[in-house]
Amino acid sequence: MNELIEYIKNHIPFSDEIKIKLEEIVTEKNVEKGEIILHENSQKKEHIFVASGCLRSFYTDADGKEHTLQFAIKNWWISDYMTIYTDKKSIASIESLSHSKILIIENEQLQKLFKDFPQFEILQRKNFERRITTLQKRVLSLLTLSASEKYFKFINEYESFEKVIPNYQIASYLGITPESLSRVRKERSQN
Amino acid sequence: MNELIEYIKNHIPFSDEIKIKLEEIVTEKNVEKGEIILHENSQKKEHIFVASGCLRSFYTDADGKEHTLQFAIKNWWISDYMTIYTDKKSIASIESLSHSKILIIENEQLQKLFKDFPQFEILQRKNFERRITTLQKRVLSLLTLSASEKYFKFINEYESFEKVIPNYQIASYLGITPESLSRVRKERSQN
DNA sequence: CTAATTTCTTACCTTAAGTCAATTTTTATC
DNA sequence: GATAAAAATTGACTTAAGGTAAGAAATTAG
């Protein structure tokens, strides 16, 4: 909870009122490595804030292959946007990649929070803007870059991820096979 | 202008006050096929509403190859989000694919509008939500689908686009070559 | 500390999609 | 409606990345 408060204070004016409200609507949870937090097919509209550790959202295709949508570390939000903003069943799952501390807010509660404390709208808007530009950049990478370019861009941009996240999951984020990623990494170590 | 008003009325309560304000900040423009509305490298933070016709935003890579970011038809918004929400120079351009009528709003003006008429925030939020889920779906398509699957999904989803947009631009949206797209289309006509 | 499991690497082969170049078809222009 | 320009198609060839399978390395669990 303190991590979330810290995060909020860094963005908008904070008050005791807000604190009380937050304590009412936020669920704190410690999760183990490998634990699934949000299951595919659920209809839960939950926003997850990562207080510590690392999470991943992914989609499992018809062949059982997993495709990573997002990684999230401390101070990041992660959720299944398609489920929250449409009325369709979730096609994605969220799992923890390490022992993590997470804070969960129900979407309805969050919407109420926006009404009661309009300054949160600003936070939300900023998050949206960041998310849109991030997704846009990712589309562009997928459209224009080769396997090795995508990988080097990724480890460059998300250095801190490299140690926590298994390579086969990075591959599934970049849209390449683990074998290809391994070959790309070999090249690097030879040059 | 009427098209924008119509659009707004469909989403939030409208008033004469809003109308007056809009007339003050909105620039109406008729553009020709092939006309560039927003140039790469500009720093203009403009939101474009399509009243009629069809627009396209695209990125030109180092080899001069164009990669389509978005198409937009009547009642869609199109802009260069990366330029608007970061302080970097635009790496994308926006062009008109037909004779089009467009309405342009400066980002600063739009932000003021949000302050004066908070109901617009709702409109903005909905737009953001839609955009995020759309981008997310596109990432997923790029990660999981073959050239032909991407194409059939596209023409299925955006039927109305097929007639206006040249195939080589659809190819650049899907991340495949025009030649590959042509082969995919040939298969379809044979089965 | 050892066994079991998971992740990563490597070699060999296959394939989907890219490249290049020529031709046909469609669209725009005078 | 003829001519020019743009877009689409096609064929021959190349290539980047995928598939398979087996073994090595690293992690995790008992």
Side-chain angles (χ1 to χ4, degrees), chain A residues 41-94:
Chain A
N41 278 324
S42 96
Q43 300 232 34
K44 277 191 198 148
K45 301 192 176 196
E46 293 177 342
H47 299 259
I48 298 166
F49 179 83
V50 182
S52 73
C54 185
L55 270 63
R56 172 177 87 113
S57 65
F58 62 96
Y59 158 75
T60 310
D61 71 17
D63 302 338
K65 244 182 241 161
E66 292 180 0
H67 303 272
T68 299
L69 297 170
Q70 196 200 336
F71 296 111
I73 53 175
K74 184 174 162 61
N75 285 351
W76 289 38
W77 291 94
I78 186 167
S79 47
D80 178 356
Y81 301 96
M82 288 199 259
T83 307
I84 291 178
Y85 302 126
T86 68
D87 279 320
K88 292 179 184 150
K89 263 191 200 165
S90 168
I91 57 164
S93 306
I94 297 180

Side-chain angles (χ1 to χ4, degrees), chain B:
Chain B
M1 190 66 180
N2 293 325
E3 296 88 351
L4 178 58
I5 291 172
E6 197 55 39
Y7 166 86
I8 293 170
K9 278 183 180 165
N10 280 332
H11 289 91
I12 55 172
F14 197 75
S15 67
D16 277 351
E17 256 186 301
I18 295 184
K19 194 175 172 183
I20 292 162
K21 183 75 190 169
L22 281 178
E23 273 160 356
E24 194 192 313
I25 62 172
V26 171
T27 310
E28 194 167 318
K29 220 174 174 181
N30 283 293
V31 290
E32 289 309 312
K33 177 169 176 176
E35 198 172 332
I36 302 273
I37 293 141
L38 220 69
H39 275 274
E40 180 180 5
N41 278 325
S42 96
Q43 297 231 38
K44 278 192 198 148
K45 301 193 176 194
E46 294 176 340
H47 300 260
I48 298 166
F49 179 81
V50 182
S52 72
C54 186
L55 270 64
R56 170 178 89 113
S57 66
F58 62 95
Y59 159 76
T60 310
D61 71 18
D63 302 338
K65 244 182 241 161
E66 292 181 0
H67 303 271
T68 298
L69 297 169
Q70 196 199 336
F71 296 111
I73 52 173
K74 186 175 159 61
N75 284 349
W76 289 38
W77 291 93
I78 185 166
S79 47
D80 179 357
Y81 300 97
M82 289 197 259
T83 307
I84 292 178
Y85 301 126
T86 69
D87 280 318
K88 292 178 185 152
K89 264 192 200 163
S90 169
I91 57 164
S93 307
I94 298 180
E95 70 166 350
S96 184
L97 300 185
S98 64
H99 179 89
S100 307
K101 189 160 128 198
I102 60 172
L103 304 169
I104 303 175
I105 307 182
E106 246 290 310
N107 186 51
E108 251 180 69
Q109 302 289 340
L110 190 70
Q111 298 312 322
K112 270 187 216 155
L113 188 71
F114 292 156
K115 278 199 182 129
D116 299 345
F117 304 94
Q119 67 265 47
F120 269 94
E121 293 265 16
I122 296 170
L123 197 54
Q124 167 86 332
R125 218 198 49 227
K126 279 188 194 167
N127 270 329
F128 277 172
E129 290 174 358
R130 205 174 7 235
R131 190 150 302 282
I132 288 170
T133 52
T134 304
L135 280 166
Q136 186 76 91
K137 278 202 261 174
R138 188 167 176 203
V139 165
L140 215 46
S141 292
L142 290 171
L143 286 179
T144 61
L145 303 182
S146 68
S148 78
E149 287 168 326
K150 282 189 279 188
Y151 176 64
F152 292 124
K153 194 174 176 210
F154 179 85
I155 55 168
N156 218 21
E157 211 153 336
Y158 302 109
E159 262 181 286
S160 56
F161 285 11
E162 213 194 344
K163 282 116 199 169
V164 199
I165 302 171
N167 286 328
Y168 76 95
Q169 287 182 7
I170 294 179
S172 85
Y173 178 89
L174 300 175
I176 62 179
T177 58
E179 292 92 337
S180 287
L181 181 54
S182 181
R183 284 173 201 123
V184 161
R185 285 161 49 78
K186 191 184 179 187
E187 269 178 56
R188 175 179 60 160
S189 64
Q190 284 172 345
N191 297 334

Side-chain angles (χ1 to χ4, degrees), chain A residues 33 65 146-147 175-177 179-180 183:
Chain A
K33 178 171 176 173
K65 244 182 241 161
S146 68
I176 60 179
T177 58
E179 293 90 342
S180 286
R183 284 169 206 129

